[in-house]
Amino acid sequence: MTRRVTLRRTLIACGALALAVLAAIVLMSLLGSEQLPARASLCALLSAGANPCGLGRDQYDILFQLRLPRILLAAAVGASLATAGASYQALLRNPLAEPYLLGVSNGAAVGTMIALVFFGANEWTRPVLAFAGALLATLAVYQLARGRAGATPERLVLAGVIVTTFLSSAIVFITTLMDATRIRSFTFWLLGDLSGASSTLLPVVIAIAVLGTVALTLNARSLNLLMLGERDAFDLGVEVGRVRIVVFIVASLLVGTSVAASGSVGYVGLVVPHLIRLSLGSDNRLSIPASALGGGLFVIVADTVARTVIAPRELPVGAITALIGAPLFIYLLKRV
Amino acid sequence: MLEALDLTIRYDERVAVANVSLKLTSGKIVAVIGPNGAGKSTLLRALNGQLRRSSGAVLLDGVPIEKFSRRTIGRRIAVVAQEAELRFPVTVLEFVLGGRYAWANNAGWGWETGRDLRVAEEVLDETELAELSGRLMNELSGGERQRAVLARALATEASFLLLDEPTANLDLSHQATLLALVRNRCDQQHSAALVVTHDINLAAQFADHILLLKQGRVIEAGPPREVLTPELLREVFAVTVLVDAHPVTGAPRVTPVHGGTS
């Protein structure tokens, strides 16, 4: 028996998850190919970098210039993707809806690549075009998936495959326009790579993650009804068209900025909301903000594994998330 | 009062509902019967403001329904339809509380108030689901589930109930229980109900007024006794029937005569 979700329960669950995220940010910044002294690093982190606490110059830079931005980016990207996934799932009434599997991430990737190839000098064009790409891909999948009987889970997944493969060929095409030296880093980026934590984009990704989660949480009660059926929601008083537009735009913004910053980290939007619903129930007033925090936690940990497991070499974080996500997808597919 | 005036609805070229007028007044149950494809469900959806009219009007208390926001309509008109397959686990209480959505101060966000919970408790008692309120919807039997759908509609406190085949998946005893609940609401809270059904005898027993539809047109409208005649039923359903009085209630009772297809 699951208990009804109340404000108190939401605050407790989200508070606990937020503490876990903070703990992960601190602990994971100590791990890596370069071992940092735990006590001194903790002291420096707690002083927010004001006091080096006896860390060497190189160690200080590794902590504050490399690891911390990367971990914060991981948290923001994870939060964005998980929140987008949770709201796509509720809106489309489909536990398999996920930005990566729907082709939305690929849409954002194409947008980012166009920005890189044609407006390379201007970093700001990347999230903007990524957002446009994500939104176009979302609308394309939605239109393709809508049959006479509405969008069945299978139809939606197939539409996602079609859009994904189409956009993949667009990506290959754009790749050929690049010079060979950049292709390797691109391949990494496409699989989801947090190593390029850019100082200009990082605040944008964090701000969008927070604002987007708030915006979607503010529609959570409508999403609760949409999750049960579009017609039911309409009958009960939900302005279905308006909520759909809000979710499509906000989720595309979340996916767009995170892909612009870190490529397509797959399956986060599938794994995290599923685990959250399993443990906390389906009420979106709790599961959307909890997915955001859980997503941050998940990608921080996954990226730490990615950069430590074969250190000093690194894996793209997307390889780790897919390793966990793909089997879960198969399990879910068997259940719907 | 909720009424349709000379309502016509077309899907592309096909006319689904043609020049239908009807009134839902407080305390009364209107049943809509007719063969498959007669436009019964289309009529119900139009009364809720969901379908675009080709001509005519749907008036809620004399005002065209499209002038109201969805939330206002959600507080005035409740629909009981065949519920969609649930793909996420939801408890019965959560499901029923969905009926309180339109009453929230801020529709998208917010928490159920004490009043919302009280109303939910009342309708759960009314539909005899109180014991099951913590169970998941997909653990319920078909009959319990349909009762939960009705409970959610009752939780809206709407004065107009539109029911689309509410008894389709129910066994004999649950069919009568469900309509008795609707009857009760109409008698005690002065609600009005429209029931789309294939079950003519159930309509005869519970409805004050019957609308007989064929190919979108009203063939006859009136009290059960006047509408449920062998001649009219043969015209609409192309089947020979025997109509006599129900031995207990005295309502018309319709029995198809075997081999009597005309």
Side-chain angles (χ1 to χ4, degrees):
Chain A
M1 176 170 157
T2 34
R3 279 183 302 140
R4 196 171 63 83
V5 169
T6 56
L7 179 60
R8 185 160 170 267
R9 204 168 150 225
T10 302
L11 291 177
I12 291 172
C14 290
L17 278 166
L19 284 179
V21 171
L22 281 178
I25 290 175
V26 172
L27 290 178
M28 300 301 159
S29 64
L30 305 181
L31 298 176
S33 49
E34 172 75 32
Q35 281 295 334
L36 298 180
R39 184 184 291 263
S41 304
L42 267 178
C43 161
L45 281 171
L46 290 176
S47 75
N51 179 3
C53 301
L55 285 178
R57 184 76 223 159
D58 287 352
Q59 291 176 324
Y60 184 89
D61 283 351
I62 285 173
L63 186 58
F64 286 97
Q65 304 298 321
L66 290 176
R67 280 193 198 156
L68 202 55
R70 180 168 178 160
I71 287 168
L72 290 176
L73 181 65
V77 164
S80 298
L81 295 174
T83 310
S87 10
Y88 280 131
Q89 283 149 26
L91 178 74
L92 301 171
R93 223 161 71 75
N94 189 334
L96 301 178
E98 203 271 325
Y100 184 69
L101 299 167
L102 290 181
V104 180
S105 295
N106 260 3
V110 170
T112 310
M113 293 179 82
I114 289 174
L116 277 168
V117 172
F118 297 104
F119 310 98
N122 192 344
E123 208 171 355
W124 292 101
T125 56
R126 272 188 247 160
V128 175
L129 288 185
F131 162 61
L135 191 58
L136 285 175
T138 306
L139 297 177
V141 172
Y142 180 67
Q143 287 305 328
L144 277 175
R146 263 182 103 74
R148 289 174 68 87
T152 62
E154 297 77 14
R155 221 185 140 95
L156 191 76
V157 171
L158 284 177
V161 170
I162 293 165
V163 171
T164 304
T165 46
F166 177 80
L167 291 170
S168 295
S169 61
I171 289 171
V172 171
F173 180 74
I174 301 173
T175 315
T176 58
L177 299 176
M178 294 175 168
D179 56 274
T181 50
R182 290 167 77 187
I183 286 181
R184 190 186 134 85
S185 71
F186 261 109
T187 320
F188 246 63
W189 171 80
L190 274 177
L191 286 168
D193 180 23
L194 291 159
S195 60
S198 127
S199 50
T200 29
L201 274 189
L202 181 60
V204 180
V205 185
I206 293 175
I208 298 277
V210 172
L211 293 176
T213 303
V214 170
L216 290 170
T217 307
L218 288 177
N219 283 282
R221 211 172 162 186
S222 307
L223 286 171
N224 281 350
L225 294 184
L226 277 161
M227 208 158 76
L228 304 179
E230 225 166 77
R231 210 152 76 170
D232 287 23
F234 179 88
D235 290 340
L236 291 165
V238 179
E239 306 274 359
V240 175
R242 191 189 59 81
V243 177
R244 186 158 52 217
I245 290 171
V246 169
V247 171
F248 278 172
I249 290 180
V250 175
S252 300
L253 203 56
L254 287 167
V255 176
T257 45
S258 63
V259 169
S262 69
S264 317
V265 184
Y267 291 98
V268 178
L270 184 82
V271 174
V272 176
H274 178 72
L275 293 178
I276 292 290
R277 275 197 300 268
L278 205 63
S279 48
L280 298 172
S282 303
D283 193 320
N284 290 294
R285 290 173 292 190
L286 169 55
S287 66
I288 288 180
S291 290
L293 293 161
L297 192 60
F298 177 63
V299 177
I300 290 175
V301 174
D303 188 50
T304 306
V305 173
R307 64 189 167 79
T308 51
V309 71
I310 52 162
R313 305 188 72 167
E314 287 185 0
L315 284 166
V317 62
I320 305 291
T321 56
L323 211 59
I324 300 166
L328 179 73
F329 177 80
I330 294 168
Y331 165 76
L332 285 177
L333 191 63
K334 282 187 178 292
R335 289 198 351 166
V336 291
Chain B
M1 188 163 61
L2 181 63
E3 59 186 324
L5 287 179
D6 206 20
L7 187 69
T8 298
I9 291 163
R10 287 196 184 83
Y11 290 130
D12 300 322
E13 286 306 293
R14 195 172 70 81
V15 177
V17 169
N19 309 101
V20 173
S21 295
L22 84 98
K23 273 184 190 153
L24 295 185
T25 46
S26 75
K28 301 281 191 245
I29 297 181
V30 175
V32 181
I33 60 174
N36 291 330
K40 305 185 294 291
S41 297
T42 305
L43 177 62
L44 183 144
R45 290 277 152 206
L47 283 172
N48 185 33
Q50 190 180 344
L51 298 175
R52 263 241 298 274
R53 292 161 290 106
S54 306
S55 66
V58 174
L59 304 178
L60 179 58
D61 295 332
V63 180
I65 195 157
E66 55 275 11
K67 301 262 187 228
F68 295 98
S69 71
R70 282 318 309 173
R71 278 180 70 202
T72 312
I73 296 174
R75 287 197 287 256
R76 300 299 312 282
I77 304 173
V79 178
V80 175
Q82 293 297 311
E83 43 112 20
E85 175 203 355
L86 293 176
R87 302 209 183 99
F88 296 92
V90 175
T91 65
V92 174
L93 178 62
E94 285 173 330
F95 185 84
V96 170
L97 280 170
R100 301 302 299 167
Y101 174 88
W103 293 95
N105 291 326
N106 179 343
W109 173 243
W111 302 91
E112 287 80 7
T113 61
R115 177 167 160 66
D116 292 338
L117 291 170
R118 248 189 340 271
V119 172
E121 231 164 75
E122 279 165 24
V123 297
L124 285 169
D125 277 337
E126 207 174 331
T127 50
E128 292 170 24
L129 287 170
E131 308 241 303
L132 303 177
S133 73
R135 291 266 288 277
L136 291 176
M137 281 293 285
N138 45 17
E139 294 170 359
L140 302 188
S141 72
E144 291 164 342
R145 221 146 54 185
Q146 194 61 7
R147 270 181 4 239
V149 177
L150 178 68
R152 186 175 68 177
L154 297 179
T156 63
E157 297 181 292
S159 19
F160 301 100
L161 295 170
L162 309 179
L163 302 100
D164 194 356
E165 301 281 1
T167 57
N169 294 320
L170 301 184
D171 63 34
L172 212 52
S173 81
H174 285 117
Q175 289 178 1
T177 322
L178 193 105
L179 280 178
L181 279 168
V182 175
R183 179 80 264 175
N184 209 18
R185 268 280 157 145
C186 291
D187 291 346
Q188 293 181 353
Q189 319 233 357
H190 310 294
S191 306
L194 176 121
V195 183
V196 166
T197 181
H198 275 298
D199 192 328
I200 298 177
N201 288 317
L202 216 57
Q205 205 179 330
F206 284 96
D208 302 291
H209 193 89
I210 291 185
L211 205 65
L212 186 58
L213 283 187
K214 185 187 181 183
Q215 294 176 345
R217 294 180 185 282
V218 178
I219 301 298
E220 185 66 74
R225 223 176 280 277
E226 289 170 21
V227 176
L228 302 178
T229 65
E231 297 74 29
L232 284 170
L233 291 174
R234 179 160 54 209
E235 184 189 337
V236 170
F237 292 98
V239 60
T240 305
V241 298
L242 182 76
V243 179
D244 58 0
H246 189 284
V248 178
T249 62
R253 182 173 63 173
V254 178
T255 318
V257 178
H258 195 59
T261 309
S262 62

